[in-house]
Amino acid sequence: MDSNFTEFEELIDPEFDSKSYSNSMLKAMNTTSNELDIDAPKKKAQYDADELKSRYESFLKSHASGLMDEFDRERKLNGSISAELKPSLEYMSISYNRLLEQVLVPYERAQKLQAALNSVHQTSTLLRDVLMFVHLSQQITSFVPLQGEDKLSVASISKLASLHYQIQLNQSQHPNLKSLKFVKEMESQTLAPRRKSLLSHITLTISRECLNSIKLRSNENDLKSLLLSLYTLSEQEFYVTLQKIILTNATNTSRILSKSVNAIKTLPSLFEEAVKKGHDVYVIETLLQNVKVENSNLLVQFTRLSRNKASTPRQLYWGKVSSAFKIDLNTAIERGGPVGKQIVNSKTFILDTIKDVFQRMSEEEPDFEHNLQIMIGVL
């Protein structure tokens, strides 16, 4: 730095802080008085400013020739650099403009078009799904009024069940459908009540047919169709309905067999009734096995849905019957008396009766051995 400016180093420092400088001047010039003197620092600052300006002008005059030479050299150097870089810069500019026009701008336009196309595609897909939903819904509502399923044929019930299944499948595959107000209202106000009513009609019909031995054997084709319709509408209702039918048969049979406890000689005729009910369950099991679904059959699906070890209808039936009969026998034995004593003494008779009845009535149910083992396990 030139010696003419040495005493002004703080003022010409690039990091000069006017607030800090003013504060230091006030402190330096107000060391003895209790009153703050502002005039003196102000005059000092003005003096320094005038003195710095004077010295700066003097410096410029004394070094004018050298400064002019420096300015001229700087101008020539800038001109030389510009002349050398100009062709490259122009080429870069042309290349960039070509890139902008031929790549970047078309790419941005294509992105906007792609976004618009995606929106159109999504809208088109949603409208197509809505159209399918409306088409299926109209077919359902065209069959019968709500709660008029008793007027439908089994074939119409199967068709209705299939339509409800297709709607549920359509909604699961296209979740956006459920966000539409029209679909929500149609589902809650029309389809759901009709699906519930149809389910109720099918379950009641199946229960009525399966609990009647004559109807069970005379309406097998209709029952198979109804069972498939019920499974299509609701796997849970399918299993619960069949479970109730089987347990109802088991309860009725257990009530019949309990009569033999007080008169053990009546067991042969009463156990025949038990086996007959077991044959009904066997017919139901055979029906399930003959209905193909999902690369298997309804019997496999019933077994899959079962949460008990007794997974097939016959296992469930004979398991409940044997368990109830065992409780009745044990209760009588624990009470003692003539009845309990007679049961203990009739163990061989009970075993022989069970085996004999199963064998005599095996024509309708050849593979009875497993059922026999379940009942023998009681004793």
Side-chain angles (χ1 to χ4, degrees):
M1 179 182 292
D2 192 283
S3 59
N4 289 332
F5 297 96
T6 303
E7 60 189 286
F8 300 108
E9 283 184 1
E10 187 175 358
L11 292 174
I12 61 178
D13 191 323
E15 298 181 358
F16 172 72
D17 183 1
S18 59
K19 291 182 180 180
S20 176
Y21 182 73
S22 300
N23 188 46
S24 63
M25 286 183 63
L26 287 171
K27 287 183 178 180
M29 296 184 177
N30 287 275
T31 57
T32 57
S33 176
N34 292 329
E35 295 182 1
L36 182 64
D37 184 5
I38 298 178
D39 290 338
K42 184 177 179 181
K43 291 178 181 179
K44 176 68 169 60
Q46 185 61 49
Y47 172 80
D48 288 344
D50 293 341
E51 180 63 20
L52 186 59
K53 180 179 179 181
S54 173
R55 294 187 186 186
Y56 182 70
E57 290 175 349
S58 176
F59 178 81
L60 290 177
K61 289 178 182 179
S62 60
H63 296 80
S65 176
L67 289 173
M68 292 300 295
D69 291 341
E70 183 64 23
F71 290 153
D72 186 59
R73 189 183 71 81
E74 185 76 15
R75 181 181 60 78
K76 291 179 179 180
L77 180 61
N78 288 337
S80 175
I81 293 174
S82 298
E84 292 179 1
L85 292 179
K86 185 176 181 180
S88 298
L89 292 174
E90 289 178 348
Y91 178 77
M92 289 179 62
S93 178
I94 293 171
S95 299
Y96 176 76
N97 289 334
R98 185 183 298 115
L99 176 66
L100 187 65
E101 294 174 2
Q102 298 180 4
V103 179
L104 296 179
V105 172
Y107 175 73
E108 292 177 357
R109 188 182 299 115
Q111 278 194 317
K112 293 179 180 179
L113 291 174
Q114 181 63 42
L117 181 62
N118 289 340
S119 299
V120 172
H121 178 69
Q122 291 174 1
T123 303
S124 174
T125 301
L126 184 59
L127 290 174
R128 182 193 63 200
D129 297 335
V130 170
L131 182 62
M132 176 61 70
F133 176 83
V134 171
H135 175 67
L136 294 172
S137 300
Q138 287 178 340
Q139 289 189 67
I140 290 174
T141 55
S142 68
F143 269 89
V144 288
L146 184 61
Q147 297 180 342
E149 289 82 1
D150 55 338
K151 301 177 182 178
L152 292 175
S153 65
V154 173
S156 296
I157 290 175
S158 298
K159 177 64 175 177
L160 264 178
S162 176
L163 289 171
H164 278 292
Y165 172 74
Q166 289 179 60
I167 282 185
Q168 290 176 316
L169 182 64
N170 189 36
Q171 289 182 349
S172 64
Q173 292 177 341
H174 309 99
N176 290 336
L177 271 177
K178 296 181 181 179
S179 64
L180 299 179
K181 182 180 179 182
F182 164 75
V183 174
K184 288 181 180 178
E185 292 179 350
M186 188 68 177
E187 175 64 30
S188 62
Q189 298 175 12
T190 303
L191 297 178
R194 287 176 179 271
R195 186 162 49 246
K196 182 179 179 181
S197 179
L198 181 62
L199 264 175
S200 177
H201 173 70
I202 294 175
T203 55
L204 287 174
T205 303
I206 290 176
S207 298
R208 185 171 59 247
E209 299 290 310
C210 288
L211 290 173
N212 185 306
S213 298
I214 297 175
K215 290 183 177 181
L216 175 62
R217 288 163 173 77
S218 61
N219 297 327
E220 289 189 4
N221 289 332
D222 286 350
L223 270 173
K224 286 193 290 187
S225 181
L226 289 171
L227 287 167
L228 180 58
S229 296
L230 181 57
Y231 176 80
T232 301
L233 279 174
S234 171
E235 292 185 5
Q236 187 61 32
E237 283 296 325
F238 163 78
Y239 178 78
V240 169
T241 299
L242 286 173
Q243 185 187 47
K244 287 180 180 179
I245 292 170
I246 296 164
L247 292 180
T248 298
N249 278 328
T251 300
N252 293 336
T253 297
S254 298
R255 193 177 295 116
I256 292 171
L257 288 180
S258 66
K259 298 176 182 179
S260 68
V261 174
N262 294 321
I264 202 64
K265 296 300 180 181
T266 63
L267 181 61
S269 60
L270 296 178
F271 196 70
E272 285 182 4
E273 294 297 321
V275 174
K276 287 179 181 179
K277 284 295 179 183
H279 286 167
D280 287 351
V281 176
Y282 173 70
V283 172
I284 294 173
E285 188 171 301
T286 303
L287 289 176
L288 294 175
Q289 192 171 20
N290 291 334
V291 180
K292 305 301 178 184
V293 60
E294 298 177 7
N295 298 321
S296 60
N297 56 63
L298 287 183
L299 179 59
V300 173
Q301 299 307 317
F302 179 87
T303 303
R304 175 179 64 85
L305 294 168
S306 175
R307 297 179 181 178
N308 302 317
K309 292 181 179 179
S311 56
T312 68
R314 282 190 292 173
Q315 289 172 339
L316 178 59
Y317 171 79
W318 286 111
K320 294 296 181 181
V321 169
S322 63
S323 178
F325 191 46
K326 177 180 181 178
I327 292 173
D328 289 338
L329 293 177
N330 286 339
T331 301
I333 293 171
E334 289 173 2
R335 287 176 181 171
V339 174
K341 185 177 180 181
Q342 184 184 32
I343 291 175
V344 173
N345 294 333
S346 302
K347 178 179 179 181
T348 301
F349 171 75
I350 295 173
L351 283 171
D352 291 342
T353 298
I354 292 174
K355 293 177 182 179
D356 178 63
V357 173
F358 266 121
Q359 290 172 349
R360 282 193 294 105
M361 302 181 69
S362 64
E363 182 177 348
E364 188 170 349
E365 189 177 353
D367 56 337
F368 66 89
E369 286 294 336
H370 184 69
N371 307 333
L372 173 61
Q373 293 304 319
I374 293 176
M375 285 304 301
I376 290 178
V378 171
L379 303 176

